[in-house]
Amino acid sequence: MIRVVIADDQALVRAGFRALLNAEPDIEVVGEAGDGARAVQLARQLRPDVVLMDIRMPGTDGLAATRQIATDPALSGVRIVVLTTFELDEYVAEALRAGAAGFLVKNTEPAELVRGVRVVAAGEGLLSPSVTRRVIEQFAVRTASPAPPAQLAELTVREREVVALAGAGLSNDEIAARLVVSPATAKTHVSRAMVKLGARDRAQLVVFAYEAGLVRPSWLP
């Protein structure tokens, strides 16, 4: 079973998500939180596979809660999906940087929400939709002249190529085709790069690619 905690300050939103997810045979909602502090508490108590985290909540907001969960070694298995009302919420990129595995818009189709929970629980990031890449590119604009992070020196030339391609939104299979290597080899390069960079998941790998300047939106000089 995929165990889920829902964190949102609106009881009706939580009830709707709970009903939708509990209707699935492989998903169980194990807790609800009305603010970020309670979400962190439940994450520590219940160790869910996925936390659906609203950003804008009273007290401890979703961004602060995401950072607390993502930086706690004991919660390394907890994946966070940020929920937002607006596709280009100004805090979404910061949430990805803080350790979220991706984000979903609250008015997404029910099937897409269920799929997103399963994808993130499997260790992947919700980075395929073009809107997610646009959010990360918005973050890139704010760091138009990035200083190469120190970890960049730890990557091999091939690993840098792989991180850049992951940052551009390519899957492991697409990276393999681009570099003319096997999918298993591409996956190995991605995994090694994540370990060297201390990335929790693919979402953080993509953010690193933008921060390091390995990926640049086409409109930037």
Side-chain angles (χ1 to χ4, degrees), residues 38-182:
R38 179 60 175 162
V40 174
Q41 183 181 38
L42 288 178
R44 289 171 175 158
Q45 289 178 351
L46 303 175
R47 305 294 172 87
D49 300 296
V50 178
V51 176
L52 295 178
M53 183 82 74
D54 186 24
I55 289 182
R56 302 180 183 189
M57 294 185 287
T60 301
D61 64 16
L63 182 60
T66 294
R67 187 174 291 109
Q68 288 181 44
I69 293 172
T71 56
D72 187 339
L75 302 180
S76 60
V78 179
R79 297 286 179 259
I80 302 166
V81 177
V82 169
L83 300 172
T84 177
T85 304
F86 307 103
E87 290 186 340
L88 293 181
D89 191 301
E90 61 183 307
Y91 297 112
V92 169
E94 293 299 329
L96 291 172
R97 187 182 186 187
F103 83 96
L104 288 170
V105 180
K106 285 186 179 181
N107 63 359
T108 189
E109 292 295 323
E112 186 65 18
L113 174 65
V114 173
R115 186 193 73 84
V117 168
R118 291 184 176 128
V119 166
V120 170
E124 298 296 325
L126 288 176
L127 297 172
S128 296
S130 60
V131 62
T132 304
R133 290 196 292 271
R134 290 206 305 272
V135 169
I136 297 175
E137 288 183 352
Q138 289 270 324
F139 174 73
V141 169
R142 296 203 298 273
T143 56
S145 299
Q151 303 100 306
L152 192 60
E154 299 179 20
L155 300 181
T156 65
V157 172
R158 178 47 58 90
E159 287 167 352
R160 291 191 191 195
E161 290 180 312
V162 166
V163 172
L165 292 173
L170 274 65
S171 67
N172 286 349
D173 287 346
E174 291 169 333
I175 291 172
R178 182 72 63 89
L179 299 179
V180 195
V181 297
S182 71

Side-chain angles (χ1 to χ4, degrees), residues 2 8 11 51 109 121 156 165 188 191 204:
I2 299 172
D8 193 291
V51 176
E109 292 295 323
T156 65
L165 292 173
T188 297
S191 298
Q204 284 200 316

